């Protein structure tokens, strides 16, 4: 190990390598001091032309390698949210080093900082799934095209966005193979062999995998040709069980969104038109982004026996009858990362919920000439070690080439929930200063935080909880201020024109729903589980309605 | 949670769902009792025809659903290793429910029990990587064909086994896209944009991903069209660092193989012929399977600047010169699962190393008529809870439809390291019986193990350590007894004919190496890092040799 670190230590580590430092043994934290030049400089080059000609690159590299001058970070301010939300999002994705564009149109590279966030999302959800008795497995990615054709709605829904493998090992394939867009078909092909008796049920499976959907308009994390997700597939003896499972899993997604991602969501049922191709019912969680557009952040489907019939999946029930199992499927993807960025981010960059943040607290030693810098650096490392031993993901930014101001904005861009500043005087006084990412300037500062381990850890843990709550409170207030209850089509039109969500009594037909979409570009996001005591007549048709539905412009 | 379990509890759980129970809260362990009929019956059907006609299936399902009669497990004994190792392997993969065949030739479904083992392999390696400062990321799976052509050796090596996507979104693509066989090319395409200055180095990346190689002869886990792996990709300022990294990672693989998988391996250097397409040097770990054939279980490559040159990846070094970074790449895959099966398995099934086993200890209550079965069941659950709280992966098999004998052989097939038997008299005496999977019959039994928590946990932990050591000792003895030191080609021939490995002084050319392969079917597995003090003349050419090399038949 020591050898290892001695070796890794060669050359100052890049500041963007948070996971690296997160996982370093306490003993090696001291070695973590380094320059952040690479992050600072490579940021602007991240989206350079796919293959820059060496010549052209040279000058830029020469400039880059000199490292930015003090304050040079000013010239790469990101687009303000209010000016252009879409450009703001792409700026943040790039400057926070979350992702980069792949060489194939619409593909994305998930960079280490973005992937570390995804690993925390995975960890949270995977634990929940396993607590519910779901087992992970892995199904082949290449699916015979004929499988998709077995379920009519399914193939109709997915055919337009399939990637096809037609050659393998230098030969043309007899049948084209579909690059998995989702796995209901191949899962059922296997279940038909595995499920024989009611004793084999329920069968609760999940896989973490990559899927491809040939989308035309793409956006990092939100809609890409390839994305990472988990897809759950379950089989049950009765329709009630399958529906209960589908409902239970959308609740799991809602709980994750609210408690881990601090994303308040509205959970509900999709309309027929918006349901999954092949499902009887689709449940969804809908989140409001910073531009007030809706993001479908996770879905769960009651598949009934649609796929079981298509694939001849049958079992003998307790009565001895041969029947089809009832199924559910459910998925959440790297789209959640985009949702977290667009829910919490501000003009300074990311704001990450502490429960998912790759770095929960960054410690910036304030080094001044003619002072005991060693004492300050030691204090910083001691705080990082104290936090790490308490299970807090901590990091020291001790580089000497950047000003504290530069570091502050760098870590604000990265959305680290809590920043600790410790300088020579602080060390003398045995205290340090804490700053919350979710509260700008003085308001978010806390002075006199003790350097003493117990007191420091307690203070940081409290701050992390406060930031988690603060982000959820901000997002919830914003959402609630932007949902309008409408009683008429005119009210809906104006709400949508104002960029808000409209919630109103709905008894319209599929055709009515399409009309609203054509005329307002708003779609029926969901019929919320949470319904008012009494519901008036349908805002569109005026006929008696039993439920309210939410309409909004969506990603 | 309670709701969840109440729901999951519907119908007796299938015994093959070990991970499910492993992750259940202690409180719910009591609910884990169920029948294993489904496992027993589905096992033989696992490899049934891809799409059984419902009619034909019905009779079989009817038979299956009746559940096996007592002792019916006798009629599905697996092929003895000694009779046909290859059939034995396929029988174990099927009966232990590790994997099943996918619909596309050469593809494989990793079933929950096999995947749980893979998750433990991932967990161990991922921790090591992160301790060394390696960060996870994700690169797109679809790579422009032209990328592979940029590195001459690379494309020559991989072209014959590529899967190509030629259609996307219903249209023919202008350029075919390669379904990732490995990612050096696309990684370098991105590094060319990310790496500007020596300050950006070292850059240590890894990804957990699926890859495709269009193999002709396939075997579950060992060689499949699609497999899961991790691929590390690093960039360094100097050739020495890159080589040290490549060497360090093969050491990580060797440490994992020995300490976690109890697979003694020989680590060394590949010959030019056997090296990775595009590498300067390839390091490998070679393991001896139960049939004494060699399995390459992990490789690490010193890529020099071959890919950096091909992709124009350059950086300004401290001297201000624009130079190419030096790189390494390294990978280990689900092939490790096959290696674990073929290293440790016996005629009763799997024998899993405790450090990786999904279930470390299975507790079988012995229920007798006219005795206090509730007391026995409670004792079993208490033991499982005690073990779980001590971090031991424990499971209770309390089903009433199977005889203890049936359960014993079922869990032996699954390779669970330690079995606990507890009956009415044991409960009276406050003790239970423990059985080691690695020592058959009486020899492996330990009586009088206390039911009292501390004593029980201590005893089980000791047994798990003993089994881990025992498996490694068995495999090491077997390996060492089957490596022959040879001084002449005749000695090598006869060693290979006996199915053994041959180790001898080697100074042959690439042509000589090919000759040996053609004449003996044995390949040069590696030039071990561990070399004898003095080396005689080359066993083939008689010319002075500096190193010994190992030749063997391999998978």
């Amino acid at each position: 190990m020591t050898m290892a670190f001695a070796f890794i230590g060669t050359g100052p580590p890049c500041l963007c390598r948070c996971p690296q430092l997160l996982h370093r043994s306490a003993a090696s934290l001291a070695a973590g001091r380094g320059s952040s030049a690479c992050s600072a400089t490579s940021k602007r080059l991240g989206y350079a032309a796919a293959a820059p000609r060496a010549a052209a690159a040279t000058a830029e590299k020469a400039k880059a390698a000199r490292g930015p001058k003090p304050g040079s970070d000013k010239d790469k301010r990101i687009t303000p949210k209010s000016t252009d939300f879409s450009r703001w999002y792409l700026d943040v994705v790039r400057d926070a080093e979350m992702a980069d564009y792949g060489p194939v149109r619409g593909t994305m590279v998930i960079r280490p900082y973005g992937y570390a966030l995804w690993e925390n999302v995975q960890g949270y959800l995977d634990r929940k799934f396993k607590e519910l008795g779901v087992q992970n497995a892995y199904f082949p990615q290449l699916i015979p095209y004929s499988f998709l054709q077995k379920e009519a709605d399914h193939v109709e829904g997915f055919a337009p966005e399939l990637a096809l493998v037609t050659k393998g090992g230098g030969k043309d394939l007899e049948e084209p193979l579909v690059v998995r867009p989702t796995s209901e078909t191949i899962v059922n092909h296997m279940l038909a062999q595995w499920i024989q008796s009611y004793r084999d049920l329920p069968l609760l499976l999940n896989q973490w995998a990559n899927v491809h959907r040939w989308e035309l308009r793409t956006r990092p994390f939100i809609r890409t040709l390839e994305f990472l997700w988990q897809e759950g597939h379950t089989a049950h003896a009765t329709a009630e069980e399958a529906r209960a499972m589908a409902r239970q899993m959308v609740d799991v997604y809602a709980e994750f969104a609210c408690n881990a991602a601090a994303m308040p969501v509205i959970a509900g049922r999709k309309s027929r038109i918006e349901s999954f191709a092949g499902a009887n019912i689709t449940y969804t969680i809908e989140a409001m982004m910073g531009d007030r557009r809706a993001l479908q952040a996770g879905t769960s489907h009651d598949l009934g026996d649609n796929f079981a019939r298509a694939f001849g999946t049958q079992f003998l029930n307790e009565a001895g009858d041969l029947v089809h199992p009832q199924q559910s499927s459910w998925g959440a993807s790297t789209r959640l990362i985009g949702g977290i960025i667009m829910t919490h981010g501000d003009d300074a960059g990311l704001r990450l919920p502490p429960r998912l943040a790759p770095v929960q607290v960054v410690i910036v030693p304030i080094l001044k000439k003619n002072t005991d810098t060693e004492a300050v650096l030691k204090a910083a490392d001691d705080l990082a070690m104290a936090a790490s031993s308490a299970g807090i993901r901590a990091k020291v930014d001790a580089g000497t080439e950047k000003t504290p101001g530069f570091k502050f904005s760098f870590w604000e861009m990265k959305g680290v929930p809590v920043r600790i500043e410790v300088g020579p005087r602080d060390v003398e006084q045995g205290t340090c200063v804490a700053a919350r990412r979710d509260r700008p300037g003085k308001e978010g500062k806390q002075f006199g935080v003790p350097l003493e381990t117990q007191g420091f850890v307690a203070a940081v843990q409290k701050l992390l909880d406060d930031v988690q709550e603060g982000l959820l409170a901000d997002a919830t207030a914003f959402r609630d201020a932007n949902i309008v209850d409408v009683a008429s089509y005119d009210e809906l039109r104006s709400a949508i024109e104002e960029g808000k969500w409209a919630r109103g009594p709905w008894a319209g037909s599929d055709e009515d729903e399409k009309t609203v979409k054509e005329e307002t570009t708003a779609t029926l996001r969901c019929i919320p589980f949470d319904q008012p005591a009494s519901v008036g007549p349908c805002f569109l048709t005026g006929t008696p309605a039993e439920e309210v539905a939410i309409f909004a412009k969506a990603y």
Side-chain angles (χ1 to χ4, degrees), chain A:
Chain A
M1 197 58 65
T2 344
M3 264 194 57
F5 282 115
F7 165 63
I8 297 298
T10 316
C14 160
L15 268 194
C16 64
R17 303 223 188 100
C18 309
Q20 160 176 355
L21 295 164
L22 296 186
H23 294 272
R24 291 171 64 169
S25 66
S28 69
L29 267 165
R33 302 169 193 160
S35 145
S36 65
C38 53
S39 311
T41 52
S42 60
K43 267 190 281 179
R44 274 137 74 212
L45 303 171
Y47 280 29
R53 268 168 283 91
T58 309
E60 201 163 12
K61 289 183 189 220
K63 180 159 146 285
R66 280 196 302 276
K69 298 177 200 61
S72 71
D73 49 325
K74 284 201 186 53
D75 60 50
K76 48 189 179 51
R77 286 239 182 285
I78 60 174
T79 310
K81 270 171 89 171
S82 50
T83 311
D84 183 338
F85 189 83
S86 180
R87 275 189 55 205
W88 166 84
Y89 176 73
L90 294 177
D91 288 352
V92 171
V93 166
R94 177 198 61 210
D95 284 10
E97 298 176 309
M98 298 293 280
D100 204 343
Y101 291 126
V104 175
R105 180 198 65 81
T107 64
M108 162 180 76
V109 178
I110 304 178
R111 302 189 68 175
Y113 195 65
Y115 199 84
L117 181 57
W118 176 239
E119 285 182 309
N120 291 342
V121 170
Q122 285 184 299
Y124 190 100
L125 287 175
D126 199 64
R127 262 192 311 280
K128 294 278 177 191
F129 298 160
K130 284 170 174 163
E131 284 170 1
L132 297 179
V134 176
Q135 306 171 92
N136 286 334
Y138 187 76
F139 292 84
Q141 181 182 25
L142 300 182
I143 303 174
Y145 191 83
S146 58
F147 279 25
L148 270 78
Q149 294 170 311
K150 290 187 181 191
E151 214 290 329
D153 295 341
H154 194 63
V155 71
E156 186 188 339
F158 282 101
E161 49 187 52
L162 296 177
L164 297 182
V165 171
T166 61
K167 294 177 189 298
K171 294 203 177 66
D172 290 332
L173 303 180
E174 292 177 4
E175 178 184 9
L177 300 176
V178 172
V179 181
R180 166 177 62 212
T182 182
S183 301
E184 280 77 6
T185 56
I186 195 165
V187 166
N188 267 274
H189 172 75
M190 300 312 300
L191 293 188
Q193 302 167 57
W194 294 340
I195 298 176
Q196 313 298 331
S197 151
Y198 66 90
R199 296 197 196 84
D200 302 341
L201 303 173
L203 184 54
L204 314 177
L205 301 176
N206 176 66
Q207 81 175 357
W208 291 94
N210 59 332
V211 284
H212 286 73
R213 296 179 186 178
W214 217 264
E215 304 278 2
L216 291 180
R217 283 213 216 84
T218 61
R219 176 189 303 264
F221 292 113
I222 299 303
R223 183 170 278 101
T224 47
L225 253 59
E226 177 187 20
F227 56 92
L228 304 183
W229 78 343
Q230 60 66 217
E231 50 180 317
H233 298 276
T234 71
H236 308 265
T238 70
E240 295 65 35
E241 277 182 41
R243 181 155 304 177
M245 185 77 194
R247 175 58 200 265
Q248 180 177 44
M249 297 318 293
V250 78
D251 292 344
V252 167
Y253 292 144
E255 189 277 336
F256 162 83
C258 185
N259 295 343
M263 272 170 60
V265 291
I266 292 184
R269 195 177 82 246
K270 284 286 187 189
S271 65
R272 265 188 305 277
I273 292 177
E274 299 284 337
S275 291
F276 175 77
N280 289 351
I281 297 182
T282 289
Y283 299 121
T284 180
I285 55 170
E286 300 284 324
M288 184 184 284
M289 301 295 98
D291 60 354
R292 301 181 298 185
R293 284 169 73 182
L295 184 77
Q296 176 179 302
T299 54
S300 180
H301 317 294
D302 171 0
L303 302 176
D305 60 6
N306 301 339
F307 287 90
R309 286 182 184 280
F311 285 83
T313 315
Q314 292 175 298
F315 71 98
L316 277 170
N317 62 18
E318 294 198 56
D321 308 319
L322 195 59
V323 298
H324 295 295
Q326 303 285 325
Q327 301 180 301
S328 88
S329 69
W330 27 276
S333 74
T334 37
R335 171 176 256 208
L336 284 167
I337 305 298
I340 289 167
I341 299 171
M342 291 199 287
T343 299
H344 301 302
D346 64 16
D347 287 350
L350 291 176
R351 299 196 308 169
L352 294 183
R355 292 196 186 129
L356 298 176
V359 183
Q360 294 174 306
V361 54
V362 62
I363 298 153
V364 181
I366 313 296
L367 305 172
K368 300 209 174 93
K369 289 204 176 100
N370 314 323
T371 66
D372 185 351
T373 56
E374 272 316 307
V376 172
L377 290 171
K378 181 176 183 314
D381 289 338
D382 292 346
L383 292 179
M385 274 189 263
S388 302
S389 348
I392 297 168
R393 299 185 287 270
K395 159 161 182 46
V396 176
D397 180 0
T400 52
E401 302 194 358
K402 296 278 164 305
T403 64
F406 183 97
K407 292 178 182 178
F408 293 175
S409 38
F410 177 79
W411 291 109
E412 278 165 9
M413 175 57 65
K414 292 274 198 180
V416 174
V418 173
R419 179 182 74 231
I420 299 294
E421 309 162 15
V422 55
R425 181 170 303 167
D426 299 306
V427 174
E428 285 163 28
Q429 295 171 344
T431 63
C432 60
V433 179
R436 288 174 61 161
R437 174 64 180 89
D438 66 324
R439 296 284 176 265
K442 278 247 177 310
E443 187 201 345
K445 283 221 176 192
Q446 184 175 328
F447 299 88
V449 175
L451 293 181
E452 168 274 328
T453 300
Q454 266 196 321
F456 174 73
V457 168
V460 170
Q461 263 155 347
K462 171 76 166 59
L463 279 165
L464 290 174
D465 292 342
D466 293 346
V467 174
Q468 184 80 34
E469 280 174 34
L471 290 176
L472 180 60
D474 291 356
T476 307
F478 179 78
R479 179 197 65 181
D480 296 345
N482 286 286
I483 301 181
V484 182
D485 284 300
V486 299
S488 72
Y489 193 30
D490 284 347
E491 288 177 15
L492 178 129
R493 282 175 182 282
S494 52
I496 299 299
E497 273 159 25
E498 291 167 29
K500 298 183 171 181
W501 290 15
R503 176 174 49 206
W506 178 251
S509 64
D510 294 356
E511 281 315 306
D512 294 330
E513 188 180 334
K514 287 177 189 155
T515 308
V516 174
K517 182 177 182 178
E518 282 154 20
E519 296 180 355
T520 68
T521 73
T523 49
L524 198 166
R525 302 317 303 160
C526 73
I527 295 117
F529 294 134
D530 189 1
Q531 287 285 329
S534 70
V535 178
C538 174
F539 69 80
L540 186 77
T541 63
T543 54
E546 293 175 348
E547 303 172 305
V548 297
I550 289 178
F551 289 78
K553 295 183 181 177
Y555 279 98

